[in-house]
Amino acid sequence: GEKVEQHESTLSVREGDSAVINCTYTDTASSYFPWYKQEAGKSLHFVIDIRSNVDRKQSQRLTVLLDKKAKRFSLHITATQPEDSAIYFCAASPYQGGRALIFGTGTTVSVSP
Amino acid sequence: ETAVFQTPNYHVTQVGNEVSFNCKQTLGHDTMYWYKQDSKKLLKIMFSYNNKQLIVNETVPRRFSPQSSDKAHLNLRIKSVEPEDSAVYLCASSPLQGSYEQYFGPGTRLTVL
């Protein structure tokens, strides 16, 4: 089955700097790659996603890159703010919509003023 | 804004007891899920369910079972809890078509003594 590896367990950045989180997956059938954010004591909140028919997607300060050949995808956060501090989870799904997600192990991002 | 509701928020019980957690979504979604998040924040899919198909993660012990009365509700029953069942159980839902985004509930924290 699919396995998702999230390479950075922690990431500390200064406010205003950029942060990058990298993930790799194993199943070539995976076609959907979302990112979720979990703030302390709270549940998961959708951040951004990318489907396998594109290799880049941007939403405001967030950009997701997908390299299908390398089975790698990454989340780029620019101009970080203290409220970006949270655990970020990457995920993959080998199915079209309505199917379960296989999550990475999470990256704790700390943004200091 | 919460659209996936879970009860209870917390539950403390003893080994061998039966517990049941409730989940309701008001988004009109067709598919619902249960995920387990352990003390290390690792997230694992347990079940995904729509009105036609139940998909069980093969690693889930048989003492766990999902129960659904309609597509807006998916409960989780644990027949005889064990210490390793202590975790946060997260319910989620998503539409069958269109956006693949999953919406998560606030979670139920289970402690098994």
Side-chain angles (χ1 to χ4, degrees):
Chain A
E2 174 67 282
K3 286 188 173 67
V4 178
E5 186 174 348
Q6 197 160 345
H7 296 270
E8 297 83 7
S9 56
T10 60
L11 204 53
S12 295
V13 296
R14 286 253 176 105
E15 184 176 356
D17 287 350
S18 294
V20 182
I21 306 170
N22 296 286
C23 290
T24 51
Y25 60 99
T26 58
D27 191 342
T28 51
S30 284
S31 58
Y32 175 63
F33 307 91
W35 290 84
Y36 283 82
K37 178 180 179 181
Q38 187 172 35
E39 296 174 25
K42 296 189 177 180
S43 189
L44 271 74
H45 191 80
F46 174 82
V47 170
I48 191 171
D49 62 8
I50 190 166
R51 301 188 192 186
S52 58
N53 59 343
V54 297
D55 55 18
R56 178 190 175 98
K57 182 175 179 180
Q58 183 173 355
S59 174
Q60 298 180 322
R61 295 185 297 109
L62 304 174
T63 302
V64 183
L65 302 178
L66 173 63
D67 181 345
K68 290 191 291 292
K69 223 175 192 178
K71 286 188 277 188
R72 181 173 58 214
F73 59 114
S74 57
L75 175 67
H76 299 247
I77 309 172
T78 57
T80 53
Q81 300 167 1
E83 51 265 39
D84 294 329
S85 296
I87 303 176
Y88 289 80
F89 292 95
C90 61
S93 176
Y95 308 99
Q96 297 300 318
R99 296 293 186 266
L101 297 174
I102 308 302
F103 282 94
T105 48
T107 299
T108 301
V109 174
S110 302
V111 181
S112 55
Chain B
E1 184 183 345
T2 305
V4 181
F5 302 90
Q6 290 186 240
T7 57
N9 294 328
Y10 304 92
H11 189 79
V12 181
T13 191
Q14 296 195 325
V15 171
N17 285 351
E18 177 175 319
V19 299
S20 202
F21 304 146
N22 301 313
C23 180
K24 170 188 170 181
Q25 54 95 3
T26 58
L27 296 162
H29 288 166
D30 303 284
T31 307
M32 296 182 72
Y33 313 81
W34 279 103
Y35 292 88
K36 177 182 179 182
Q37 185 170 40
D38 66 18
S39 58
K40 294 181 182 176
K41 300 293 186 183
L42 297 178
L43 283 154
K44 285 199 176 165
I45 180 67
M46 301 181 74
F47 306 98
S48 65
Y49 184 78
N50 61 32
N51 57 5
K52 295 175 186 172
Q53 190 177 23
L54 170 67
I55 300 175
V56 181
N57 182 332
E58 60 195 20
T59 65
V60 173
R62 291 194 173 199
R63 60 182 180 277
F64 289 84
S65 60
Q67 299 171 320
S68 178
S69 54
D70 55 58
K71 73 174 190 176
H73 296 82
L74 184 66
N75 300 332
L76 180 66
R77 176 177 160 234
I78 314 174
K79 215 191 297 193
S80 176
V81 296
E82 297 189 8
E84 60 263 33
D85 299 338
S86 294
V88 175
Y89 292 86
L90 293 165
C91 177
S93 71
S94 70
L96 203 51
Q97 294 176 351
S99 168
Y100 299 168
E101 180 182 340
Q102 292 188 16
Y103 292 76
F104 283 79
T108 293
R109 181 178 294 278
L110 172 66
T111 301
V112 180
L113 302 174

